[in-house]
Amino acid sequence: MLRRLNSAATLRALRGGGEPTLSELAKQVGLSRPTTEGVLGELAGRGLVTEVAPRSGAGLGRPARRYRFRAEAGYALGLDIDAHWVQLFVADLNGEVVGSYRADLDVGWAPPERLAAVRAAVKTCLAATGVERSELWAVAAGTPGVVTADGEVAFCTVVPGWQGLNLGRELGRSFTCPVYVENDANLAAMAERWRGVAEDADDVICVLAGLHTGVGAVIGGRLHRGRWGAAGEVGMLPELGLRDTTAALTGVPTAAGRAPDGGGAAAVLAAAQHDDPEAVALVERLAARMSRGIAAMALAIDPEMIVVGGALTRAGDRLIDELRRQVRPLCLSPTRIEASTLGDEAVGIGAVRLALDRIDENLFKLD
C-alpha cells in the first residue's frame, strides 16, 4: 500500500506539468531520492514516465536528470452522437485534443445504420489523427435521452429507435478498452466546468436548448446523475416548458419520431438578431415558456451559474438575453446566466472529460 501511495503521489506531481529533476520531485512529493528513483523506475516500466534529454548549456559536470509524464502513453476518445451528426475528439492523457472529426447522419436511419456510420467515423478520425485503436484507454459517448449506468438508453424521443438500445454494449464491440455512455446535457455541463465559461464554478446547471431542452447539473464539482440517470429531466413535465422547444419557436409541429432540421428555428433566431418584430416576439414567447423549467432547476439546486447552449443559441444571444430577463425574477438567488463558450463541441469535449476521469480512476487507484 505504501508503494502504491508513493507511486500515485509521484504520478500526480508529474501530471502537474513541467520537467522536474529527481531532487525537485523528491522534495515536492516528500520522499527520499532513492525511493523517488525507485518509483520513477516503476512508472517508466509502465510507460507513464520518461527521462528527458539533458538541457543544453547546463554548465560543467553531469546534468541533473529530469523527468516528465508521458501524456502520449494513451488516449481518450469522446463522441457526441446526435440525430443529425456524430462528432469525435481524441485527446492525450493531459486532455489536449490531438484530433477531431465530424460526420453528418441521416435522422431517419435505424440504429444499425447509425451505428455503422459512427464506426466508420471512428475509423476515419483515428486514421487522420495517427492514433491506433489499441492506444485508446477509454471511450465515452454522449447522446440525447436518459442513460442508465450500464449504457442503455432508457428513454429517448430525439433519435429514432434509440430507446431501449444498450449503446455502451454496441459501441463496446468496436473497442478493447472500456466504453461509457452518458446523457448529452450532463456531458455539456462537465465540459463547461472543465474548459468552458463555468471553470470557476462548483455548482452549475447546463441547459441544452434544441428540439427538446435538456438540463445537466454539476453539484459540488461533481456531475449529478441521480439514482437512475434521470437527474435534470424536468422537461418531462409539460408545464415546465422544456419539451418541443424548437417546435414552440417555429410553430411547426415535430413529426412523430423525427427531429426537425432546425432550419426554421435558425431563421427565426437570425431575424430576431436583426430586430425583426415578429421574430423577437417569438423568441420572447419561447423564453417565457422555457423560463419555468430553468427556474425550477435553479430553485432546486441554487447554482452559481446557468450555462445555456445548444442548437437554439447558434444564431446569437437573443434567446439567452431573454432568458436572463425572464428567469432571474423567478429565482431567489442572483444566479449568473451565461452563454456557452464551447458551442457545438460541448458534448464531445465533455465525453473526453468523462473518459479521462475513468482513466484517472485506474491510474490512481490504491487497491
Side-chain angles (χ1 to χ4, degrees):
M1 178 60 72
L2 182 58
R3 185 169 61 251
R4 292 182 186 130
L5 285 168
N6 291 340
S7 178
T10 303
L11 189 57
R12 286 187 188 279
L14 287 170
R15 279 287 293 276
E19 298 174 354
T21 65
L22 178 59
S23 296
E24 290 169 343
L25 188 59
K27 183 177 180 181
Q28 182 178 352
V29 179
L31 300 174
S32 67
R33 276 178 56 95
T35 299
T36 304
E37 190 169 21
V39 170
L40 287 170
E42 178 191 345
L43 293 173
R46 294 166 57 190
L48 295 172
V49 170
T50 188
E51 188 172 344
V52 181
R55 297 177 180 175
S56 58
L60 299 176
R62 183 179 177 181
R65 299 162 64 186
R66 294 182 176 275
Y67 299 85
R68 71 169 179 86
F69 173 69
R70 292 188 68 247
E72 70 277 17
Y75 296 90
L77 174 64
L79 298 89
D80 172 14
I81 307 174
D82 193 74
H84 296 282
W85 69 78
V86 57
Q87 191 163 206
L88 307 93
F89 296 90
V90 181
D92 65 20
L93 298 182
N94 278 336
E96 295 303 314
V97 174
V98 298
S100 62
Y101 181 72
R102 175 170 170 149
D104 291 331
L105 306 177
D106 189 313
V107 68
W109 280 344
E113 297 171 287
R114 187 174 303 278
L115 287 167
V118 169
R119 292 186 179 103
V122 169
K123 184 177 180 180
T124 300
C125 182
L126 293 180
T129 307
V131 172
E132 297 292 333
R133 202 172 291 251
S134 60
E135 295 179 285
L136 295 175
W137 285 17
V139 174
T143 192
V146 176
V147 180
T148 65
D150 66 350
E152 179 181 336
V153 183
F155 179 83
C156 181
T157 59
V158 176
V159 183
W162 226 225
Q163 185 166 315
L165 177 76
N166 192 308
L167 185 56
R169 183 171 60 231
E170 292 299 326
L171 292 176
R173 302 181 197 278
S174 300
F175 303 98
T176 57
C177 63
V179 176
Y180 308 94
V181 182
E182 185 54 86
N183 167 265
D184 55 357
N186 286 348
L187 293 183
M190 292 176 65
E192 293 293 347
R193 186 176 184 273
W194 182 34
R195 292 200 168 158
V197 70
E199 284 185 275
D200 297 327
D202 284 335
D203 300 302
V204 180
I205 291 172
C206 184
V207 178
L208 277 188
L211 171 64
H212 303 295
T213 293
V215 183
V218 171
I219 302 175
R222 298 175 63 87
L223 176 67
H224 182 70
R225 300 187 74 254
R227 180 63 181 85
W228 309 107
E233 297 291 338
V234 296
M236 290 297 297
L237 297 175
E239 299 85 355
L240 294 184
L242 299 181
R243 298 199 70 178
D244 300 310
T245 41
T246 297
L249 179 65
T250 62
V252 178
T254 301
R258 293 181 63 84
D261 60 13
V268 171
L269 291 164
Q273 286 295 114
H274 291 90
D275 297 321
D276 176 82
E278 184 177 353
V280 169
L282 288 171
V283 172
E284 289 176 349
R285 186 179 68 187
L286 176 64
R289 185 179 188 269
M290 294 173 61
S291 65
R292 299 192 297 274
I294 297 172
M297 283 293 295
L299 289 167
I301 295 176
D302 192 23
E304 299 168 60
M305 184 183 298
I306 299 170
V307 182
V308 184
L312 296 186
T313 65
R314 293 178 194 150
D317 291 340
R318 174 70 74 168
L319 177 60
I320 296 168
D321 289 341
E322 280 300 316
L323 287 173
R324 286 192 183 107
R325 187 173 70 85
Q326 301 202 43
V327 171
R328 282 174 176 160
L330 303 177
C331 298
L332 298 177
S333 304
T335 302
R336 294 166 54 194
I337 301 177
E338 302 289 348
S340 167
T341 56
L342 298 176
D344 286 346
E345 297 184 349
V347 177
I349 294 297
V352 168
R353 182 64 264 170
L354 175 61
L356 289 171
D357 285 347
R358 298 297 177 262
I359 289 171
D360 283 355
E361 286 175 6
N362 287 324
L363 277 180
F364 299 111
K365 66 181 180 181
L366 299 177
D367 53 4

